[in-house]
Amino acid sequence: MLCLAGTSLCFAQAKIYQNPNAPVEERVKDALSRMTVHEKVLLLHGQSKFTSAGVPRLGIKELHHSDGPHGCRAEVEWNSWNTANWNNDSCVAFPSLTCLAATWNRDMSAIYGKAVAEEFAFRDKNIMLGPGVNINRMPLNGRNFEYMGEDPLLAGEMVVPYIQNAQKQGIACCLKHFFVNNQEWHRERVNVNASERAIREIYLPAFRKGVVEGGAWSVMGSYNKWLNIHCCENDSLLNGILKGEWGFDGAVVSDWGGVHSTMGAALGGMDIEMGTGAGDGVSSRGIKTYTYNTNFLGDNFEKLINEGKIPMSVLDDKASRVLRTIFRTAMNPNKVIGELCSEEHYDVCLQIAEEGIVLMKNDRNLLPIDVSRYSHILVVGENATRSLTEGGGSSELKTKLDISPLDGLRAAFGDRIDYAQGYYSGRAMYAMQERTDSTRQAQLKAEALEKAKSADLIIFIGGMNKNGGQDCEATDRNEYQLSFGQPELIAALAKIQKNIVVVTFGGNPFDTSCMKSVPAFLHCWYLGSISGTAIANIVSGKVNPSGKLPITFAANKNDYPCFHYGERGFPGVNDQLYYDEGIFVGYRYFNTNNVKPAFAFGHGLSYTTFAYGKPTVSASTSGKKTVTVSIPVRNTGKVTGKEVVQLYIGKNGSKVERPEKELKDFAKVSLNPGEEKTVSFTIDDEDLQYWDETTHSWQVESGKYTVYINSSEVVNKGKVVFVR
Ligand code: BGC
């Protein structure tokens, strides 16, 4: 209190925390000094399903959280998961994060982050629950579509521009689910046993990049356990690695209902407990109220603080982290107004969708479709008409515009298009896959086969669909094959008409043996609001495909190493899950053990061809020890195209077990016909290191390394050796 000498006038001291121009740290310090213990505690847990409190007495705003990560989820009721039934909360559904990863284009991540955050800003949200960078270890994981593939370098590189550009809008990203949340089965109970090396080399790096380089303002603790402790209460993970080693200064948010004890959350590094549920109360007027004081970081926590059983410094640290998040977002003077469903956002959605679609196969150059050759194009498949922005769990979106593949193809090819559903799946969210009626299934199949006889081109549109048991939160896939009789239907259609294009959706790899008799095959992940236009632009040749797989499609499910050790590897034994394959996840296993994938990591065709010249290597002459590898790439075809040049490195004669080679960098280049560009990569020690479990540190071996310049993990375009 400041009092004027000789008068009775006293003024509250200047409220630095309310000064938008003051540095965030000063605002935090000032706000904290004015708050009671109770007010600090209130910041640390939910006050509704998707908000956490501010300090109304001081004019400090609350935080509004929302899923994430593909668009801003529709409103739910204040205290329940029920839809709030608003009519102003439709958004743009952006492509799934797997699709973003498949673009292998950092610029796409940047425009994605900016656009999606603008939608959150317009909806008055502060924390976007995403993006997710859990590694695709297990090909049946129901949430793989929400992540960025199987490789830590690719996921890490792609997540950084997303976070940076989202947060520039004043919206916090909540990087999730930290960590080793690689399956949905018993996700709240399962404990992951993985080697220190696998943790460091495979499961942590993308999170580290998101925090250290992306500067994520919040991180979501996952449901599962590590070291037999829930990740939301895991001192080694949250205080040790995240806040300690990586210097994370933001707020750790729990996954909804992921906190299980007061002491665990208090001392284990949790800052905002969400989703634990409300206690019922009754107001003095007899009205039902909800109170979140029963949360683990509620009354009980406050009592332990007041009794001195938990140090005040723990409370102050947590409250400071939440205040920092509030000043960075809700009370950030630079937070944008944003926009919802703007033309610009649809453009972003379309560009990413087009760049993420992977041309898996294109025999006889069946694609792009030469319309002059076909008068009757039959589209078959439920996914041609079904909304794929719905379903899947918390990433589900309510969209204003949802252009289906059939709409897109009709717009491109007009009256030539006919349609037969071919199979059906039902709509079974969260539950296990709905049982389908075999009579109806047979009728739909017969109808499609009948129509196929008069078609001169078939476009089959199927794959997964975000149903429970397909690819959906809280469940894993039931099988590696496509469901609902799709493989048999595809084979039968291909027998009738050899001009058949198969288009599939889904975030997971699957058994593609049914594609043997199919000349053209596109995999589309999930493409968001204007899915149909993106597909039409690719099949018509308006856009040249340039997506590359961020995952390995194995020929057989059991080729994936997580299935090699019985139930230990999946789904776990007595809720103990063992990552016995260690660092040999995804292509690292396939290349080291000479197992041929059906479609390799990094694979993706184009309507043009690229020729690679000879790679050259030069060592830096000054400062940091680096090596530069350069390679010329030329477009040798007739249309403009984009190529993803991939750099892998392997250690010759390593003294430790290592994959044959690992992705260390990549570049996407656009080339006009005949054009050539030289792509250069700089390699430093960080690209060569491995985690040493005896010294618990990164080590770099001296000696020879081989650099592979590839157009997919298995297609080498040039090698050079250098000595470190
Ligand atoms: C999911 C999170 C999501 C949260 C809020 C949880 O069940 O695992 O990804 O952000 O719910 O919807």
mmCIF file of all heavy atoms in Angstrom, residues 351-390:
data_model
loop_
_atom_site.group_PDB
_atom_site.id
_atom_site.type_symbol
_atom_site.label_atom_id
_atom_site.label_comp_id
_atom_site.label_asym_id
_atom_site.label_seq_id
_atom_site.Cartn_x
_atom_site.Cartn_y
_atom_site.Cartn_z
ATOM 1 N N GLN A 351 -4.103 -27.262 -49.160
ATOM 2 C CA GLN A 351 -2.669 -27.419 -49.510
ATOM 3 C C GLN A 351 -2.037 -28.573 -48.748
ATOM 4 O O GLN A 351 -1.283 -29.363 -49.307
ATOM 5 C CB GLN A 351 -1.915 -26.160 -49.075
ATOM 6 C CG GLN A 351 -1.834 -25.080 -50.091
ATOM 7 C CD GLN A 351 -0.894 -23.993 -49.572
ATOM 8 O OE1 GLN A 351 0.297 -24.178 -49.455
ATOM 9 N NE2 GLN A 351 -1.459 -22.844 -49.243
ATOM 10 N N ILE A 352 -2.332 -28.648 -47.450
ATOM 11 C CA ILE A 352 -1.714 -29.706 -46.633
ATOM 12 C C ILE A 352 -2.257 -31.065 -47.060
ATOM 13 O O ILE A 352 -1.509 -32.045 -47.194
ATOM 14 C CB ILE A 352 -1.946 -29.442 -45.133
ATOM 15 C CG1 ILE A 352 -1.251 -28.144 -44.727
ATOM 16 C CG2 ILE A 352 -1.440 -30.614 -44.281
ATOM 17 C CD1 ILE A 352 -1.671 -27.589 -43.398
ATOM 18 N N ALA A 353 -3.557 -31.104 -47.307
ATOM 19 C CA ALA A 353 -4.157 -32.374 -47.730
ATOM 20 C C ALA A 353 -3.509 -32.852 -49.030
ATOM 21 O O ALA A 353 -3.107 -34.010 -49.154
ATOM 22 C CB ALA A 353 -5.666 -32.190 -47.912
ATOM 23 N N GLU A 354 -3.373 -31.948 -49.975
ATOM 24 C CA GLU A 354 -2.791 -32.339 -51.271
ATOM 25 C C GLU A 354 -1.337 -32.795 -51.126
ATOM 26 O O GLU A 354 -0.910 -33.742 -51.769
ATOM 27 C CB GLU A 354 -2.853 -31.160 -52.251
ATOM 28 C CG GLU A 354 -4.263 -30.858 -52.726
ATOM 29 C CD GLU A 354 -4.374 -29.517 -53.461
ATOM 30 O OE1 GLU A 354 -3.425 -28.700 -53.399
ATOM 31 O OE2 GLU A 354 -5.418 -29.273 -54.068
ATOM 32 N N GLU A 355 -0.607 -32.122 -50.251
ATOM 33 C CA GLU A 355 0.823 -32.495 -50.093
ATOM 34 C C GLU A 355 1.013 -33.744 -49.255
ATOM 35 O O GLU A 355 2.087 -34.340 -49.262
ATOM 36 C CB GLU A 355 1.619 -31.340 -49.464
ATOM 37 C CG GLU A 355 2.005 -30.322 -50.471
ATOM 38 C CD GLU A 355 3.397 -29.729 -50.265
ATOM 39 O OE1 GLU A 355 4.231 -30.301 -49.538
ATOM 40 O OE2 GLU A 355 3.631 -28.674 -50.856
ATOM 41 N N GLY A 356 -0.009 -34.120 -48.487
ATOM 42 C CA GLY A 356 0.155 -35.279 -47.607
ATOM 43 C C GLY A 356 -0.296 -36.590 -48.241
ATOM 44 O O GLY A 356 0.067 -37.675 -47.774
ATOM 45 N N ILE A 357 -1.103 -36.493 -49.291
ATOM 46 C CA ILE A 357 -1.585 -37.725 -49.936
ATOM 47 C C ILE A 357 -0.394 -38.466 -50.532
ATOM 48 O O ILE A 357 0.445 -37.858 -51.206
ATOM 49 C CB ILE A 357 -2.618 -37.382 -51.036
ATOM 50 C CG1 ILE A 357 -3.892 -36.819 -50.386
ATOM 51 C CG2 ILE A 357 -2.934 -38.606 -51.892
ATOM 52 C CD1 ILE A 357 -4.935 -36.330 -51.382
ATOM 53 N N VAL A 358 -0.320 -39.766 -50.287
ATOM 54 C CA VAL A 358 0.824 -40.538 -50.789
ATOM 55 C C VAL A 358 0.380 -41.427 -51.947
ATOM 56 O O VAL A 358 -0.556 -42.231 -51.813
ATOM 57 C CB VAL A 358 1.435 -41.413 -49.669
ATOM 58 C CG1 VAL A 358 2.605 -42.236 -50.220
ATOM 59 C CG2 VAL A 358 1.916 -40.543 -48.512
ATOM 60 N N LEU A 359 1.061 -41.250 -53.077
ATOM 61 C CA LEU A 359 0.831 -42.137 -54.216
ATOM 62 C C LEU A 359 1.681 -43.383 -53.971
ATOM 63 O O LEU A 359 2.900 -43.362 -54.110
ATOM 64 C CB LEU A 359 1.225 -41.427 -55.520
ATOM 65 C CG LEU A 359 1.088 -42.244 -56.807
ATOM 66 C CD1 LEU A 359 -0.349 -42.720 -57.032
ATOM 67 C CD2 LEU A 359 1.547 -41.417 -58.019
ATOM 68 N N MET A 360 1.010 -44.447 -53.548
ATOM 69 C CA MET A 360 1.722 -45.656 -53.126
ATOM 70 C C MET A 360 2.168 -46.464 -54.348
ATOM 71 O O MET A 360 3.228 -47.071 -54.357
ATOM 72 C CB MET A 360 0.799 -46.520 -52.273
ATOM 73 C CG MET A 360 0.168 -45.802 -51.081
ATOM 74 S SD MET A 360 1.277 -45.651 -49.705
ATOM 75 C CE MET A 360 1.023 -47.189 -48.843
ATOM 76 N N LYS A 361 1.302 -46.482 -55.355
ATOM 77 C CA LYS A 361 1.539 -47.357 -56.490
ATOM 78 C C LYS A 361 0.877 -46.730 -57.709
ATOM 79 O O LYS A 361 -0.199 -46.131 -57.578
ATOM 80 C CB LYS A 361 0.832 -48.681 -56.140
ATOM 81 C CG LYS A 361 1.095 -49.825 -57.029
ATOM 82 C CD LYS A 361 0.436 -51.091 -56.479
ATOM 83 C CE LYS A 361 0.652 -52.190 -57.489
ATOM 84 N NZ LYS A 361 -0.070 -53.401 -57.139
ATOM 85 N N ASN A 362 1.497 -46.848 -58.885
ATOM 86 C CA ASN A 362 0.876 -46.265 -60.074
ATOM 87 C C ASN A 362 1.310 -47.019 -61.325
ATOM 88 O O ASN A 362 1.962 -46.463 -62.216
ATOM 89 C CB ASN A 362 1.216 -44.772 -60.175
ATOM 90 C CG ASN A 362 0.338 -44.042 -61.171
ATOM 91 O OD1 ASN A 362 -0.744 -44.543 -61.531
ATOM 92 N ND2 ASN A 362 0.781 -42.888 -61.623
ATOM 93 N N ASP A 363 0.967 -48.291 -61.400
ATOM 94 C CA ASP A 363 1.348 -49.106 -62.551
ATOM 95 C C ASP A 363 0.633 -48.585 -63.804
ATOM 96 O O ASP A 363 -0.489 -48.104 -63.726
ATOM 97 C CB ASP A 363 0.949 -50.576 -62.324
ATOM 98 C CG ASP A 363 1.734 -51.186 -61.180
ATOM 99 O OD1 ASP A 363 2.671 -50.534 -60.686
ATOM 100 O OD2 ASP A 363 1.386 -52.307 -60.745
ATOM 101 N N ARG A 364 1.256 -48.766 -64.916
ATOM 102 C CA ARG A 364 0.730 -48.359 -66.228
ATOM 103 C C ARG A 364 0.381 -46.870 -66.260
ATOM 104 O O ARG A 364 -0.390 -46.426 -67.090
ATOM 105 C CB ARG A 364 -0.537 -49.161 -66.580
ATOM 106 C CG ARG A 364 -0.326 -50.655 -66.739
ATOM 107 C CD ARG A 364 -1.595 -51.314 -67.266
ATOM 108 N NE ARG A 364 -2.494 -51.746 -66.224
ATOM 109 C CZ ARG A 364 -3.713 -51.271 -66.045
ATOM 110 N NH1 ARG A 364 -4.190 -50.324 -66.836
ATOM 111 N NH2 ARG A 364 -4.472 -51.746 -65.074
ATOM 112 N N ASN A 365 0.928 -46.105 -65.292
ATOM 113 C CA ASN A 365 0.581 -44.673 -65.202
ATOM 114 C C ASN A 365 -0.925 -44.458 -65.322
ATOM 115 O O ASN A 365 -1.391 -43.571 -66.031
ATOM 116 C CB ASN A 365 1.313 -43.857 -66.269
ATOM 117 C CG ASN A 365 2.790 -43.752 -65.964
ATOM 118 O OD1 ASN A 365 3.187 -43.825 -64.784
ATOM 119 N ND2 ASN A 365 3.611 -43.628 -66.979
ATOM 120 N N LEU A 366 -1.655 -45.282 -64.582
ATOM 121 C CA LEU A 366 -3.120 -45.154 -64.609
ATOM 122 C C LEU A 366 -3.545 -43.771 -64.115
ATOM 123 O O LEU A 366 -4.538 -43.206 -64.550
ATOM 124 C CB LEU A 366 -3.733 -46.271 -63.753
ATOM 125 C CG LEU A 366 -5.236 -46.372 -63.765
ATOM 126 C CD1 LEU A 366 -5.754 -46.668 -65.166
ATOM 127 C CD2 LEU A 366 -5.727 -47.450 -62.802
ATOM 128 N N LEU A 367 -2.775 -43.258 -63.161
ATOM 129 C CA LEU A 367 -3.019 -41.894 -62.676
ATOM 130 C C LEU A 367 -1.982 -40.975 -63.305
ATOM 131 O O LEU A 367 -0.849 -41.408 -63.544
ATOM 132 C CB LEU A 367 -2.910 -41.852 -61.151
ATOM 133 C CG LEU A 367 -4.050 -42.539 -60.393
ATOM 134 C CD1 LEU A 367 -3.760 -42.520 -58.892
ATOM 135 C CD2 LEU A 367 -5.396 -41.861 -60.666
ATOM 136 N N PRO A 368 -2.284 -39.697 -63.548
ATOM 137 C CA PRO A 368 -3.596 -39.088 -63.353
ATOM 138 C C PRO A 368 -4.608 -39.590 -64.374
ATOM 139 O O PRO A 368 -4.229 -40.035 -65.466
ATOM 140 C CB PRO A 368 -3.314 -37.596 -63.542
ATOM 141 C CG PRO A 368 -2.081 -37.537 -64.380
ATOM 142 C CD PRO A 368 -1.277 -38.747 -64.028
ATOM 143 N N ILE A 369 -5.857 -39.476 -64.017
ATOM 144 C CA ILE A 369 -6.920 -39.987 -64.880
ATOM 145 C C ILE A 369 -7.003 -39.163 -66.172
ATOM 146 O O ILE A 369 -7.127 -37.940 -66.130
ATOM 147 C CB ILE A 369 -8.268 -39.935 -64.126
ATOM 148 C CG1 ILE A 369 -8.238 -40.923 -62.961
ATOM 149 C CG2 ILE A 369 -9.435 -40.205 -65.057
ATOM 150 C CD1 ILE A 369 -9.394 -40.777 -62.002
ATOM 151 N N ASP A 370 -6.929 -39.887 -67.259
ATOM 152 C CA ASP A 370 -7.076 -39.229 -68.563
ATOM 153 C C ASP A 370 -8.569 -39.304 -68.910
ATOM 154 O O ASP A 370 -9.071 -40.330 -69.359
ATOM 155 C CB ASP A 370 -6.210 -39.999 -69.580
ATOM 156 C CG ASP A 370 -6.423 -39.515 -70.993
ATOM 157 O OD1 ASP A 370 -7.263 -38.609 -71.190
ATOM 158 O OD2 ASP A 370 -5.764 -40.057 -71.894
ATOM 159 N N VAL A 371 -9.297 -38.206 -68.649
ATOM 160 C CA VAL A 371 -10.758 -38.246 -68.779
ATOM 161 C C VAL A 371 -11.241 -38.626 -70.168
ATOM 162 O O VAL A 371 -12.334 -39.173 -70.321
ATOM 163 C CB VAL A 371 -11.448 -36.918 -68.392
ATOM 164 C CG1 VAL A 371 -11.817 -36.891 -66.939
ATOM 165 C CG2 VAL A 371 -10.639 -35.726 -68.789
ATOM 166 N N SER A 372 -10.411 -38.329 -71.170
ATOM 167 C CA SER A 372 -10.878 -38.624 -72.528
ATOM 168 C C SER A 372 -11.063 -40.140 -72.718
ATOM 169 O O SER A 372 -11.740 -40.574 -73.640
ATOM 170 C CB SER A 372 -9.875 -38.075 -73.545
ATOM 171 O OG SER A 372 -8.655 -38.781 -73.416
ATOM 172 N N ARG A 373 -10.457 -40.925 -71.847
ATOM 173 C CA ARG A 373 -10.518 -42.387 -72.015
ATOM 174 C C ARG A 373 -11.706 -43.041 -71.308
ATOM 175 O O ARG A 373 -11.991 -44.212 -71.527
ATOM 176 C CB ARG A 373 -9.229 -43.021 -71.490
ATOM 177 C CG ARG A 373 -8.023 -42.729 -72.367
ATOM 178 C CD ARG A 373 -6.793 -43.441 -71.863
ATOM 179 N NE ARG A 373 -7.023 -44.850 -71.626
ATOM 180 C CZ ARG A 373 -6.304 -45.607 -70.801
ATOM 181 N NH1 ARG A 373 -5.318 -45.076 -70.134
ATOM 182 N NH2 ARG A 373 -6.574 -46.887 -70.649
ATOM 183 N N TYR A 374 -12.343 -42.305 -70.410
ATOM 184 C CA TYR A 374 -13.388 -42.958 -69.609
ATOM 185 C C TYR A 374 -14.716 -42.219 -69.705
ATOM 186 O O TYR A 374 -14.767 -41.003 -69.542
ATOM 187 C CB TYR A 374 -12.963 -43.018 -68.133
ATOM 188 C CG TYR A 374 -11.583 -43.611 -67.949
ATOM 189 C CD1 TYR A 374 -10.506 -42.797 -67.590
ATOM 190 C CD2 TYR A 374 -11.363 -44.970 -68.160
ATOM 191 C CE1 TYR A 374 -9.239 -43.325 -67.434
ATOM 192 C CE2 TYR A 374 -10.086 -45.505 -68.008
ATOM 193 C CZ TYR A 374 -9.028 -44.676 -67.653
ATOM 194 O OH TYR A 374 -7.775 -45.207 -67.498
ATOM 195 N N SER A 375 -15.778 -42.979 -69.933
ATOM 196 C CA SER A 375 -17.088 -42.321 -69.971
ATOM 197 C C SER A 375 -17.923 -42.722 -68.755
ATOM 198 O O SER A 375 -18.897 -42.075 -68.415
ATOM 199 C CB SER A 375 -17.825 -42.693 -71.259
ATOM 200 O OG SER A 375 -17.919 -44.098 -71.334
ATOM 201 N N HIS A 376 -17.525 -43.797 -68.080
ATOM 202 C CA HIS A 376 -18.333 -44.261 -66.950
ATOM 203 C C HIS A 376 -17.403 -44.640 -65.794
ATOM 204 O O HIS A 376 -16.784 -45.704 -65.794
ATOM 205 C CB HIS A 376 -19.168 -45.475 -67.409
ATOM 206 C CG HIS A 376 -20.076 -45.999 -66.344
ATOM 207 N ND1 HIS A 376 -20.836 -47.139 -66.500
ATOM 208 C CD2 HIS A 376 -20.346 -45.561 -65.094
ATOM 209 C CE1 HIS A 376 -21.513 -47.363 -65.392
ATOM 210 N NE2 HIS A 376 -21.233 -46.425 -64.531
ATOM 211 N N ILE A 377 -17.281 -43.723 -64.825
ATOM 212 C CA ILE A 377 -16.379 -43.968 -63.683
ATOM 213 C C ILE A 377 -17.236 -44.370 -62.477
ATOM 214 O O ILE A 377 -18.118 -43.612 -62.054
ATOM 215 C CB ILE A 377 -15.562 -42.698 -63.339
ATOM 216 C CG1 ILE A 377 -14.756 -42.224 -64.566
ATOM 217 C CG2 ILE A 377 -14.653 -42.940 -62.149
ATOM 218 C CD1 ILE A 377 -14.010 -40.911 -64.370
ATOM 219 N N LEU A 378 -16.973 -45.546 -61.968
ATOM 220 C CA LEU A 378 -17.746 -46.009 -60.800
ATOM 221 C C LEU A 378 -16.947 -45.776 -59.523
ATOM 222 O O LEU A 378 -15.825 -46.267 -59.390
ATOM 223 C CB LEU A 378 -18.072 -47.501 -60.940
ATOM 224 C CG LEU A 378 -18.819 -48.096 -59.739
ATOM 225 C CD1 LEU A 378 -20.231 -47.525 -59.610
ATOM 226 C CD2 LEU A 378 -18.870 -49.626 -59.825
ATOM 227 N N VAL A 379 -17.535 -45.010 -58.612
ATOM 228 C CA VAL A 379 -16.922 -44.827 -57.294
ATOM 229 C C VAL A 379 -17.571 -45.832 -56.356
ATOM 230 O O VAL A 379 -18.801 -45.932 -56.293
ATOM 231 C CB VAL A 379 -17.142 -43.377 -56.788
ATOM 232 C CG1 VAL A 379 -16.615 -43.217 -55.374
ATOM 233 C CG2 VAL A 379 -16.470 -42.385 -57.727
ATOM 234 N N VAL A 380 -16.744 -46.595 -55.636
ATOM 235 C CA VAL A 380 -17.264 -47.598 -54.696
ATOM 236 C C VAL A 380 -16.659 -47.346 -53.325
ATOM 237 O O VAL A 380 -15.461 -47.049 -53.225
ATOM 238 C CB VAL A 380 -16.869 -49.037 -55.140
ATOM 239 C CG1 VAL A 380 -17.427 -50.075 -54.165
ATOM 240 C CG2 VAL A 380 -17.343 -49.337 -56.549
ATOM 241 N N GLY A 381 -17.470 -47.496 -52.280
ATOM 242 C CA GLY A 381 -16.904 -47.458 -50.925
ATOM 243 C C GLY A 381 -17.614 -46.478 -50.017
ATOM 244 O O GLY A 381 -17.996 -45.387 -50.432
ATOM 245 N N GLU A 382 -17.769 -46.898 -48.784
ATOM 246 C CA GLU A 382 -18.490 -46.073 -47.819
ATOM 247 C C GLU A 382 -17.787 -44.746 -47.544
ATOM 248 O O GLU A 382 -18.421 -43.718 -47.333
ATOM 249 C CB GLU A 382 -18.646 -46.859 -46.513
ATOM 250 C CG GLU A 382 -19.609 -46.226 -45.553
ATOM 251 C CD GLU A 382 -19.612 -46.905 -44.206
ATOM 252 O OE1 GLU A 382 -18.592 -46.841 -43.490
ATOM 253 O OE2 GLU A 382 -20.629 -47.523 -43.859
ATOM 254 N N ASN A 383 -16.456 -44.775 -47.530
ATOM 255 C CA ASN A 383 -15.733 -43.539 -47.212
ATOM 256 C C ASN A 383 -15.861 -42.469 -48.296
ATOM 257 O O ASN A 383 -15.426 -41.342 -48.094
ATOM 258 C CB ASN A 383 -14.251 -43.831 -46.956
ATOM 259 C CG ASN A 383 -14.033 -44.386 -45.550
ATOM 260 O OD1 ASN A 383 -14.952 -44.394 -44.736
ATOM 261 N ND2 ASN A 383 -12.828 -44.857 -45.282
ATOM 262 N N ALA A 384 -16.467 -42.828 -49.409
ATOM 263 C CA ALA A 384 -16.681 -41.815 -50.452
ATOM 264 C C ALA A 384 -17.724 -40.803 -50.006
ATOM 265 O O ALA A 384 -17.739 -39.665 -50.484
ATOM 266 C CB ALA A 384 -17.117 -42.484 -51.750
ATOM 267 N N THR A 385 -18.590 -41.208 -49.091
ATOM 268 C CA THR A 385 -19.674 -40.299 -48.695
ATOM 269 C C THR A 385 -19.707 -40.012 -47.195
ATOM 270 O O THR A 385 -20.373 -39.089 -46.762
ATOM 271 C CB THR A 385 -21.046 -40.917 -49.051
ATOM 272 O OG1 THR A 385 -21.140 -42.187 -48.411
ATOM 273 C CG2 THR A 385 -21.214 -41.081 -50.546
ATOM 274 N N ARG A 386 -19.016 -40.799 -46.424
ATOM 275 C CA ARG A 386 -19.128 -40.687 -44.971
ATOM 276 C C ARG A 386 -18.266 -39.540 -44.440
ATOM 277 O O ARG A 386 -17.146 -39.324 -44.894
ATOM 278 C CB ARG A 386 -18.635 -42.010 -44.402
ATOM 279 C CG ARG A 386 -18.501 -42.061 -42.925
ATOM 280 C CD ARG A 386 -17.804 -43.357 -42.553
ATOM 281 N NE ARG A 386 -17.556 -43.382 -41.147
ATOM 282 C CZ ARG A 386 -18.057 -44.306 -40.325
ATOM 283 N NH1 ARG A 386 -18.776 -45.295 -40.791
ATOM 284 N NH2 ARG A 386 -17.814 -44.247 -39.034
ATOM 285 N N SER A 387 -18.758 -38.840 -43.426
ATOM 286 C CA SER A 387 -17.936 -37.783 -42.831
ATOM 287 C C SER A 387 -16.816 -38.411 -42.020
ATOM 288 O O SER A 387 -17.061 -39.211 -41.116
ATOM 289 C CB SER A 387 -18.769 -36.896 -41.913
ATOM 290 O OG SER A 387 -17.862 -36.080 -41.189
ATOM 291 N N LEU A 388 -15.599 -38.034 -42.334
ATOM 292 C CA LEU A 388 -14.451 -38.571 -41.592
ATOM 293 C C LEU A 388 -13.857 -37.522 -40.661
ATOM 294 O O LEU A 388 -12.766 -37.689 -40.123
ATOM 295 C CB LEU A 388 -13.394 -39.091 -42.569
ATOM 296 C CG LEU A 388 -13.863 -40.302 -43.396
ATOM 297 C CD1 LEU A 388 -12.899 -40.617 -44.521
ATOM 298 C CD2 LEU A 388 -14.074 -41.529 -42.513
ATOM 299 N N THR A 389 -14.574 -36.432 -40.470
ATOM 300 C CA THR A 389 -14.140 -35.467 -39.456
ATOM 301 C C THR A 389 -14.819 -35.805 -38.132
ATOM 302 O O THR A 389 -14.401 -35.355 -37.082
ATOM 303 C CB THR A 389 -14.492 -34.025 -39.862
ATOM 304 O OG1 THR A 389 -15.884 -33.963 -40.151
ATOM 305 C CG2 THR A 389 -13.730 -33.615 -41.097
ATOM 306 N N GLU A 390 -15.865 -36.613 -38.193
ATOM 307 C CA GLU A 390 -16.534 -37.104 -36.972
ATOM 308 C C GLU A 390 -15.848 -38.375 -36.505
ATOM 309 O O GLU A 390 -15.183 -39.044 -37.278
ATOM 310 C CB GLU A 390 -17.990 -37.460 -37.288
ATOM 311 C CG GLU A 390 -18.856 -36.272 -37.548
ATOM 312 C CD GLU A 390 -20.233 -36.675 -38.070
ATOM 313 O OE1 GLU A 390 -20.543 -37.883 -38.113
ATOM 314 O OE2 GLU A 390 -20.976 -35.770 -38.453
#
